């Protein structure tokens, strides 16, 4: 009997948790009716009797057993929540701050927050919580400890915002297999320490040798250099042709020296600014190149050309002004230009492995500057993607003197990137191996998924914003920590010493070697006596005129191009209304016909493609054209398939890359500028939806396009189309702020034009294409027509105007009989107002033999010599009148008046006709606009004098 009871006890002891409750339910049914349960269960009860635990004193009821099993389930689900929280929020308690925020707590990753004890976690098998748990992880407590090691160490991860399952799984597998952290061999660890010693030694040498000079040192973020080394190493191994880099001031000199290979002696020479001596590099090094005005040393970029024998990668660091993040889209433009093959018709063929953009941001600027968001938004767009950029936030915890609490509304500077589903790693700059591991992950992710990746490199700033600044005034607590904090090389050396990888004193030996090397270079430099520190003048080619370029095309070729643009692919279903409009262009070059603005523009592009010159044209609505005039991308009305007529023409020998851009000015214009600088043989054109929208990109105009050649010797030949003209549409749809471009016009830095015929535009654009890749190259700003002019028959041109001549900077007023002998007034103006005057004269019965009128179609460089020649032919001239529709303090007047005063002869007067000085460019009421416009026109062609005269 005892044996039978023992056997039953062993049998029933096999049942646990939820199974016990089920057995009790079945036994209750069995007692009431043995046939009511499954035969196998009936047999079990027949052989073993009642469950052993039911016969014991104080036995649990079924309800109690069920309650116990529910509690087990709750603990399991709580443990699962905890594990998932560690993956999602482990970064909140990670050891990612070398100084300043050592105590980090969050109850989101604490077991107590989920009602769990250590015993609870130990009772759960590891496989229930972590399917791929390694063999040494046995239970839930082991799981929690292991995952916290992976997700809350000196490297931490945020990718919960990434919605792509494959990307998330790839990252999770990398992290949870322990492969996210590299296991560097000892010799590589020693090399890494030596590299850090070189970076620190370079900065220390500058600090001692050039006391008090600004250099925006990398100290506190020294590990950024070996991180960039790792990118270069990987890119070279993968045969990537270009690394395109952009960064602000912090650490720039170190990157130039250690990554770009800029000679130390050249860097030293740039620090020396004695009034009568110029410290020059030793023989064999490159001298200082002032350019025109030049720039401060920490704004310059550089290019390291590849070593053909070693198969290394070309590295280009973009020049960067103090407007920090505005270099981001420029660098992306560099990269896309390097990736595109443009010498076949159609869209360019992109190879994203030809260039990798690397952008180094400031923590305050990344979240604070809107151009960052604009640039991130470009990353996935077909016309702008570069197959992924590598971003590093050089996080020194401060924005000049502003604490993070005052500088952003987010927890991290990197949080902006989450909206674009960019994975983020936060890493402690005092752990070099973690930092190298982070950049390795970023690189591999970019290569696999062709998407952006962001590393938040958390360090500190050893000195103030610059070396002349005193940070202890504004951050006393933080700098008391920094003052007592060892450098990263010392931290890393201590770790290597403890592991027996290096000997005591080995770091000091490395530092002395660096110091000795730099001291020898410095001592071998020469002091050169020089009394002239003036910047070099601009190249002579820029002083030459622009008349040497032939831009006319023979009629037969033009007609062939025009006809070719009316072809459509077989089966293409065009919009019927649009095709009727475009069909009118077919006869535009025949005798007695004229080509309107849209036709002239299309012919210009087609002829340039025929010459084998690629074109890239982008803007917010550039495919169709804001004013529905361009139609260079057509849509199939049934399939929505797109086709461009300029992709079809037989004569095209290069790509035509036309894109509608996102609703962005600064980001897109910066991108196109960068593209134009890298792709010197391509005509790059950016169009503002309305010209006044261009002012949202003012920094790009000011700091890059207008001045980059004078500051950095950087050439661009890009074109900006800015719709401009007063039509009664109010302040935001009238003026492209012409005056701003003229105010910046100097040293032949660019061309500013305001043309009034399709042939003039044709010749001007063709001339710009001819300027490409030459010393004469420079950007072109064009005030282009809007609705009221774009279809105006007075803007159309005959075939002869395309097949003969060239662009005219100074043009006769059409349809006005010239009487030079009788002319008493010379009326000058540009653009739409002159077309309005032409129409008014055409409807007048006045003879106007007293009036000579000329259109200034190229305002800069101003056609002063041509105008002087015209004036000499007017013997009875009494006054020169400048007319414009813009207010007096805007438009061209303040720019041209000095030129015109110089041309006045004795007894002649200079007058202005136009709107008075105003704070806003245009009135908002259409009827008021019409009244004002009529008054300006009437005064311009009325014989009586008025307005301002020359004193």
């Amino acid at each position: 009997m005892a044996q039978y009871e023992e056997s039953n006890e062993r049998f029933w002891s096999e049942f646990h948790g939820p199974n016990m409750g089920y057995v009790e339910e079945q036994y209750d049914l069995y007692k009431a009716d043995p046939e009511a349960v499954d035969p196998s269960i009936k047999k079990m009860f027949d052989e073993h009797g009642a469950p052993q635990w039911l016969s014991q004193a104080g036995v649990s009821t079924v309800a109690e057993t069920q309650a116990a099993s529910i509690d087990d389930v709750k603990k399991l689900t709580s443990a699962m929540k905890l594990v998932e929280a560690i993956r999602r929020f482990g970064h909140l308690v990670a050891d990612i701050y070398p100084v300043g925020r050592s105590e980090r707590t969050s109850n989101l990753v604490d077991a107590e927050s989920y009602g769990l004890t250590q015993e609870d976690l130990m009772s759960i098998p590891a496989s229930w919580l972590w399917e791929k748990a390694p063999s040494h992880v046995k239970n839930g407590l082991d799981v929690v400890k292991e995952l916290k090691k992976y997700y809350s160490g000196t490297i931490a991860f945020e990718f919960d915002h990434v919605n792509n399952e494959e990307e998330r799984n790839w990252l999770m597998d990398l992290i949870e297999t322990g492969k996210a952290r590299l296991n560097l061999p000892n010799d590589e660890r020693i090399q890494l320490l030596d590299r850090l010693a070189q970076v620190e030694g370079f900065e220390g040498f500058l600090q001692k040798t050039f006391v008090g000079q600004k250099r925006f040192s990398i100290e506190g973020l020294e590990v950024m250099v070996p991180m960039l080394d790792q990118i270069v190493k990987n890119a070279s191994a993968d045969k990537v042709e270009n690394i395109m880099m952009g960064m602000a001031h912090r650490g720039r000199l170190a990157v130039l020296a250690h990554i770009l290979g800029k000679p130390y002696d050249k860097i030293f020479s740039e620090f020396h600014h004695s009034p009568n001596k110029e410290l020059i590099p030793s023989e064999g090094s490159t001298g200082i190149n002032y350019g025109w005005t030049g720039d401060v040393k920490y704004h310059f970029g550089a290019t390291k050309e590849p070593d053909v024998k070693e198969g290394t990668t070309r590295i280009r660091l973009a020049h960067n002004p103090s407007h920090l993040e505005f270099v981001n889209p420029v660098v992306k433009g560099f990269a896309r230009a390097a990736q595109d093959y443009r010498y076949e018709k159609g869209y360019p063929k992109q190879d994203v492995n030809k260039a990798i953009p690397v952008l180094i941001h400031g923590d305050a600027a990344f979240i604070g500057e809107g151009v960052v968001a604009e640039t991130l938004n470009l990353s996935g767009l077909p016309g702008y993607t570069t197959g992924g950029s590598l971003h590093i936030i050089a996080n020194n915890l401060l924005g000049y003197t502003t604490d993070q609490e005052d500088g952003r509304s987010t927890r991290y500077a990197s949080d902006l990137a989450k909206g674009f589903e960019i994975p983020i790693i936060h890493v402690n700059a005092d752990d070099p191996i973690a930092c190298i591991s982070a950049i390795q992950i970023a690189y591999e992710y970019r290569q696999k998924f062709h998407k952006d990746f962001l590393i938040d490199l958390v360090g500190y700033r050893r000195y103030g914003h610059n070396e002349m600044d005193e940070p202890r005034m504004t951050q006393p607590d933080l700098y008391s920590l920094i003052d007592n904090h060892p450098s990263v090389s010392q931290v890393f050396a201590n770790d290597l010493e403890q592991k027996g990888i290096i000997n005591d004193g080995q770091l000091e030996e490395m530092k002395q070697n660096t110091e000795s090397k730099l001291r020898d270079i410095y001592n071998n430099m020469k002091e050169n006596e020089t009394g002239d520190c003036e910047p070099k003048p601009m190249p002579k080619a820029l002083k030459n005129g622009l008349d040497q370029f032939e831009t006319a095309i023979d009629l037969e070729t033009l007609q062939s191009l025009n006809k070719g643009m009316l072809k459509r692919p077989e089966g293409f279903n065009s919009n019927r209304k649009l095709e009727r409009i475009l069909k009118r262009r077919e006869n535009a070059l025949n005798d007695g016909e004229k080509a309107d603005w849209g036709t002239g523009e299309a012919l210009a592009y087609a002829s340039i493609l025929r010459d084998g010159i690629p074109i890239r044209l982008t803007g917010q609505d550039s495919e169709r054209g804001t004013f529905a005039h361009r139609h260079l991308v057509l849509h199939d009305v049934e399939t929505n398939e797109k086709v461009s007529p300029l992709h079809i023409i037989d004569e095209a020998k290069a790509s035509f890359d036309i894109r509608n851009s996102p609703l962005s000015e600064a980001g897109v214009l910066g991108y196109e500028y960068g593209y134009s600088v890298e792709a010197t043989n391509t005509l790059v054109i950016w169009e503002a939806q309305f010209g006044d929208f261009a002012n949202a990109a003012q920094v790009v105009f000011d700091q890059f396009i207008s001045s980059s050649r004078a500051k950095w010797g950087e050439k661009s030949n890009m074109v900006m189309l800015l719709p401009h003209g007063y039509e009664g549409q109010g302040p935001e749809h009238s003026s492209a702020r012409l005056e701003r471009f003229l105010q910046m016009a100097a040293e032949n830095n660019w061309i500013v034009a305001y043309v009034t015929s399709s042939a003039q535009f044709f010749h001007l654009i063709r001339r710009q294409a001819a300027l490409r890749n030459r010393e004469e190259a420079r950007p072109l700003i064009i005030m282009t027509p809007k609705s009221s002019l774009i279809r105006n028959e007075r803007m159309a041109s005959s075939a002869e105007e395309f097949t003969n001549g060239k662009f005219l900077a100074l043009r006769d007023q059409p349809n006005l009989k010239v009487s030079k002998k009788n002319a008493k007034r010379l009326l000058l103006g540009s653009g739409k107002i002159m077309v309005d005057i032409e129409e008014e004269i055409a409807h007048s019965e006045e003879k106007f033999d007293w009036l000579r009128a000329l259109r200034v179609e190229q305002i800069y460089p101003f056609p002063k010599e041509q105008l002087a020649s015209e004036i000499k032919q007017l013997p009875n001239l009494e006054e020169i009148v400048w007319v414009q529709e813009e207010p007096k303090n805007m438009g061209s007047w303040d720019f041209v008046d000095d030129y015109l005063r110089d041309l006045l002869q004795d007894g002649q007067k200079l007058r202005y006709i136009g709107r008075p000085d105003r704070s806003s460019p245009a009135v908002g009421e259409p009827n008021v606009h019409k009244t004002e416009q009529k008054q300006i026109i009437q005064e311009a062609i009325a014989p009586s004098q008025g307005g301002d005269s020359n004193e």
Side-chain angles (χ1 to χ4, degrees):
M1 185 66 180
Q3 289 177 343
Y4 173 77
E5 289 177 354
E6 185 179 343
S7 174
N8 283 350
E9 185 176 340
R10 281 200 307 273
F11 176 80
W12 292 118
S13 68
E14 297 296 322
F15 292 86
H16 303 280
N19 289 337
M20 295 170 69
Y22 175 74
V23 168
E24 290 174 8
E25 289 176 359
Q26 295 298 306
Y27 188 68
D28 286 340
L29 292 173
Y30 172 82
K31 284 195 301 181
D33 179 6
E35 303 301 324
V37 298
D38 185 92
S40 61
I41 294 176
K42 177 178 178 296
K43 183 180 179 182
M44 180 178 67
F45 289 134
D46 288 342
E47 292 181 6
H48 298 285
Q52 169 260 337
W53 63 84
L54 288 178
S55 61
Q56 296 176 351
V59 68
S60 299
T61 65
V62 172
E64 288 172 336
T65 304
Q66 288 178 330
S69 64
I70 290 171
D71 187 53
D72 289 340
V73 171
K74 285 182 175 179
K75 287 179 180 178
L76 177 59
T77 56
S78 293
M80 294 171 71
K81 288 179 182 178
L82 172 60
V83 167
E84 188 59 27
I86 292 169
R87 290 180 172 130
R88 294 179 63 190
F89 306 115
H91 59 89
L92 296 176
V93 295
D95 180 19
I96 59 172
Y97 287 88
V99 298
R101 294 195 174 189
S102 55
E103 306 242 343
R104 307 193 75 214
T105 58
S106 172
N107 57 12
L108 287 172
V109 292
D110 290 342
E112 294 81 1
S113 298
Y114 299 87
L116 295 168
T117 64
Q118 287 196 8
E119 290 73 19
D120 293 332
L121 290 170
M122 291 175 68
S123 69
I124 301 172
S127 61
W128 290 18
L129 301 176
W130 185 7
E131 186 179 350
K132 297 180 180 180
S135 58
H136 67 277
V137 175
K138 304 296 185 185
N139 56 52
L141 184 61
D142 292 342
V143 169
V144 169
K145 289 180 179 179
E146 190 78 1
L147 290 181
K148 279 190 174 181
K149 181 178 74 174
Y150 290 150
Y151 286 96
S152 299
T154 52
I155 183 170
F157 305 87
E158 285 191 275
F159 57 90
D160 193 56
H161 53 280
V162 177
N163 292 323
N164 184 283
E165 187 83 14
E166 184 185 1
E167 295 171 37
R168 290 163 60 89
N169 289 340
W170 184 84
L171 288 164
M172 191 176 294
D173 286 347
L174 192 71
I175 296 163
E176 296 182 7
T177 56
K179 295 177 183 176
R181 186 180 180 91
L182 296 173
N183 185 20
L184 296 183
N186 288 349
D187 60 333
E188 291 187 20
R189 293 176 187 236
I190 296 171
Q191 290 171 15
L192 177 55
L193 178 63
D194 187 50
R195 187 61 157 162
L196 292 170
Q198 291 171 27
V199 177
E200 286 184 21
F202 171 73
E203 295 286 359
F205 184 84
L206 294 179
Q207 178 74 0
K208 291 183 294 185
T209 308
F210 306 103
V211 178
Q213 287 202 47
K214 294 181 184 179
R215 70 177 197 279
F216 300 95
S217 82
I218 202 171
E219 289 162 281
L221 292 165
E222 293 94 336
V223 75
M224 189 163 67
V225 168
M227 289 172 73
L228 295 176
D229 286 337
Q230 187 72 14
I231 296 174
V232 174
K233 176 183 174 183
N234 289 338
S236 295
D238 286 346
K239 308 299 183 187
V240 176
E241 294 179 10
N242 297 275
I243 295 173
M244 303 299 193
M245 292 178 57
M247 66 183 298
H249 318 334
R250 180 75 48 216
R252 191 176 187 87
L253 295 180
V255 170
L256 283 168
H258 302 297
I259 304 298
L260 278 297
K262 184 173 181 178
Y264 291 121
D265 52 359
K266 185 174 181 184
I267 294 174
F268 298 158
S269 69
E270 291 168 352
F271 274 94
H272 196 280
H273 48 205
S274 171
N276 58 358
K277 288 183 181 178
E278 181 182 0
L279 195 64
I280 63 172
S282 55
E283 187 176 353
S285 184
T286 307
I288 301 171
N289 181 7
Y290 286 109
W292 289 289
T293 55
D295 205 345
V296 293
K297 51 188 167 288
Y298 39 79
H299 285 176
F300 279 100
T303 299
K304 183 178 182 180
E305 296 298 338
D307 186 312
V308 178
K309 291 182 180 179
E310 296 182 9
T312 55
T313 296
R314 173 177 177 252
I315 309 170
R316 179 171 190 163
L317 176 64
H319 306 291
N320 195 68
S322 286
H323 287 66
L324 303 177
E325 302 292 333
F326 280 84
V327 79
N328 296 349
V330 175
V331 171
K332 299 270 273 191
F334 285 173
R336 181 60 182 258
Q339 292 170 352
D340 283 348
Y341 178 75
R342 295 175 289 276
Y343 296 97
E344 293 177 4
K345 66 180 178 180
Y347 283 107
K349 293 176 174 59
Q350 185 183 13
D351 180 353
V352 298
N353 205 48
K354 285 186 175 292
I356 296 178
V358 178
L359 296 171
I360 301 170
H361 312 271
D363 53 306
F366 185 83
I367 193 71
E369 295 287 351
V371 72
V372 177
E374 289 190 34
T375 307
L376 293 178
N377 186 50
L378 298 177
S379 62
L381 304 180
Y384 301 89
T385 182
T386 54
S389 301
L390 302 181
H391 301 267
I392 300 173
I393 294 179
N395 191 340
N396 58 34
L397 312 179
L398 289 169
Y400 205 153
T401 66
T402 302
D403 291 314
Q404 296 175 11
E405 292 78 8
D406 296 315
R408 62 175 185 259
S409 297
T410 59
R411 179 186 294 273
Y412 298 115
S414 57
D415 284 344
L416 175 66
K418 291 180 180 178
F420 301 93
E421 297 191 32
I422 298 171
I424 299 164
I425 289 178
H426 307 279
V427 63
N428 189 319
D430 266 3
D431 185 346
I433 294 179
C435 294
I436 300 299
S437 303
I439 207 69
Q440 184 66 28
I441 294 169
Y443 180 87
E444 290 178 6
Y445 176 92
R446 187 269 178 191
Q447 292 299 85
K448 182 173 180 61
F449 298 108
H450 302 306
K451 284 183 57 182
D452 288 24
F453 200 103
L454 173 63
I455 296 171
D456 180 17
L457 177 63
V458 187
Y460 54 92
R461 193 181 70 193
R462 177 67 68 179
Y463 301 102
H465 176 68
N466 61 65
E467 287 66 31
M468 299 171 67
D469 189 52
E470 175 49 79
R472 291 158 193 81
M473 297 177 184
T474 50
Q475 276 78 30
D477 289 344
L478 176 61
Y479 273 86
S480 66
L481 295 172
I482 292 173
D483 288 341
N484 295 301
H485 188 75
S487 69
V488 62
S489 67
Q490 190 62 60
V491 172
F492 191 43
N494 291 343
D495 178 62
L496 297 183
E497 284 179 25
Q498 290 174 9
K499 293 174 180 175
I501 297 173
I502 65 169
N503 301 320
D504 184 20
Q506 200 162 338
L507 172 62
E508 193 57 38
E509 183 181 341
M510 292 175 178
K511 289 181 177 181
Q512 288 176 1
N513 289 339
T514 297
E515 165 75 18
S516 176
K517 174 185 175 182
L518 295 174
R519 183 61 59 188
D520 286 347
I521 292 171
Y522 182 77
N523 289 338
N524 287 329
M525 294 173 69
K526 305 170 185 177
E527 285 192 342
N528 182 40
E529 296 289 341
T530 174
D532 184 9
C533 292
E534 290 296 315
K536 295 178 181 179
M538 63 177 158
K540 289 182 180 179
L542 281 179
K543 296 180 181 179
N544 298 335
L546 297 167
D547 293 334
Q548 70 266 38
F549 301 100
E550 298 298 329
T551 54
I553 296 284
D554 66 89
L555 182 59
E556 185 179 347
T557 299
L558 276 182
Q559 288 176 331
S560 175
L561 292 170
N562 194 39
K563 186 177 180 180
M565 286 188 285
L566 292 174
K567 293 179 182 178
R568 303 291 177 261
E570 186 177 349
F572 188 83
N573 303 291
S574 299
N575 180 288
R576 291 183 181 179
K577 180 180 178 181
L578 174 58
E579 283 298 342
R580 285 197 299 271
I581 295 170
L582 295 178
K583 190 71 174 174
R584 296 173 194 159
R585 296 182 178 180
E586 188 172 16
N587 301 319
L589 298 172
N590 294 347
D591 286 342
E593 300 290 338
K594 289 191 174 184
D596 64 10
W597 184 274
T599 307
E601 181 182 21
L603 287 170
Y605 301 150
S607 65
I608 290 168
L609 295 175
R610 176 182 174 272
D611 294 338
I613 302 169
I615 298 173
R616 178 178 167 90
L617 168 59
T618 72
Q620 281 154 16
D621 297 278
S622 292
E623 291 181 356
R624 189 202 75 173
T626 300
F627 309 105
H629 78 284
R630 183 170 291 126
H631 300 294
L632 289 180
V633 174
L634 308 176
H635 298 254
D636 189 300
V637 296
E638 295 184 9
T639 66
N640 205 39
E641 177 191 354
K642 293 182 180 183
V643 64
S644 172
L646 291 177
H647 292 166
I648 298 172
I649 56 173
D650 296 332
E651 295 90 340
K653 300 173 186 173
S655 64
F656 181 64
D657 193 5
I658 183 168
R659 309 277 183 173
N660 280 345
S661 77
L663 191 61
S664 158
E665 286 83 28
V668 169
L669 182 60
Y671 189 102
E672 302 305 337
Y673 169 78
Y675 198 108
S676 73
V677 170
E678 178 67 19
T680 55
N681 202 42
T682 299
L683 184 65
V684 178
I685 305 170
W686 176 74
E687 181 178 48
Q689 188 182 67
F690 285 85
D692 17 357
F693 293 177
N695 62 13
Q698 197 65 45
V699 170
V700 182
F701 285 114
D702 291 353
Q703 305 300 327
F704 292 92
I705 300 173
S706 69
S707 57
S708 61
R709 192 143 182 211
K711 293 191 295 187
W712 312 316
E714 188 166 81
K715 284 193 294 186
S716 169
N717 198 47
M718 74 178 297
V719 178
M720 285 133 284
L721 307 179
L722 308 181
H724 174 88
Y726 283 57
E727 300 173 333
Q729 296 297 314
E732 275 70 62
H733 292 309
S734 294
S735 175
R737 301 288 186 170
L738 171 60
E739 63 279 355
R740 293 182 181 171
F741 302 103
L742 294 174
Q743 184 186 37
M744 289 184 281
E747 300 177 303
N748 290 322
N749 62 329
W750 57 21
I751 301 164
V752 182
Y754 193 178
V755 300
T756 54
S757 83
S758 58
Q760 278 282 84
F761 182 81
F762 174 89
H763 289 297
L764 180 59
I765 290 293
R766 284 186 51 77
R767 186 182 76 178
Q768 193 67 11
L771 281 170
R772 78 201 185 287
N773 211 18
R774 297 170 59 103
E775 276 298 296
E776 295 93 334
R778 70 202 80 172
L780 169 62
I781 310 285
I782 311 180
M783 303 291 113
T784 54
K786 299 189 297 188
S787 296
S788 65
L789 278 190
I790 217 158
R791 292 172 183 82
N792 190 314
E793 62 181 15
R794 299 186 185 280
M795 297 285 283
S797 302
S798 65
E800 186 179 5
E801 293 176 83
F802 294 94
T803 60
N804 291 300
K806 56 184 67 174
F807 174 73
L808 301 174
L810 193 65
R811 180 185 175 212
D812 281 335
Q813 176 78 344
N815 303 312
L816 179 64
K817 187 177 180 181
V818 177
S819 178
K820 296 182 179 180
K821 181 180 178 181
N822 296 328
K824 295 182 178 180
R825 177 185 301 171
L826 174 59
L827 182 67
L828 301 171
S830 294
K832 178 180 172 294
I833 191 68
M834 298 303 285
V835 179
D836 291 347
I837 288 171
E838 180 187 354
E839 292 203 8
E840 187 67 24
I841 288 176
H843 293 101
S844 174
E845 296 181 0
E846 172 77 42
K847 288 186 177 181
F848 296 104
D849 59 345
W850 52 270
L851 180 65
R852 176 82 170 108
L854 294 168
R855 295 182 182 179
V856 181
E857 305 242 317
Q858 178 179 287
I859 309 169
Y860 184 79
F862 190 77
K864 187 175 180 180
E865 291 182 6
Q866 293 131 288
L867 186 55
S869 176
E870 288 285 346
I871 292 173
K872 286 179 181 178
Q873 300 175 47
L874 306 176
N876 295 309
L877 185 65
E878 296 177 358
E879 61 177 355
I880 298 175
V881 174
W882 180 265
V883 61
Q884 65 180 41
E885 54 186 358
E886 303 88 354
K888 188 178 181 182
N889 57 322
M890 302 178 193
S892 302
W893 169 246
D894 279 342
F895 180 79
V896 302
D897 67 340
D898 284 342
Y899 290 105
L900 299 180
R901 289 180 197 281
D902 288 345
L903 295 173
L904 288 174
Q905 304 297 313
D906 291 342
Q908 295 175 351
K909 295 180 180 180
L910 174 63
R911 289 202 298 129
Y912 162 85
I913 294 176
R915 289 175 171 83
D917 290 345
R918 283 188 173 147
S919 58
S920 178
V923 298
E925 173 56 51
N927 289 332
V928 175
H929 160 77
K930 290 178 182 178
T931 301
E932 290 183 343
Q933 199 79 351
K934 189 173 182 178
Q935 288 175 347
I936 293 169
I937 294 167
Q938 289 302 320
E939 187 178 350
I941 61 175
S944 59
Q945 293 188 0
D948 298 329
S949 62
N950 183 39
E951 294 180 2

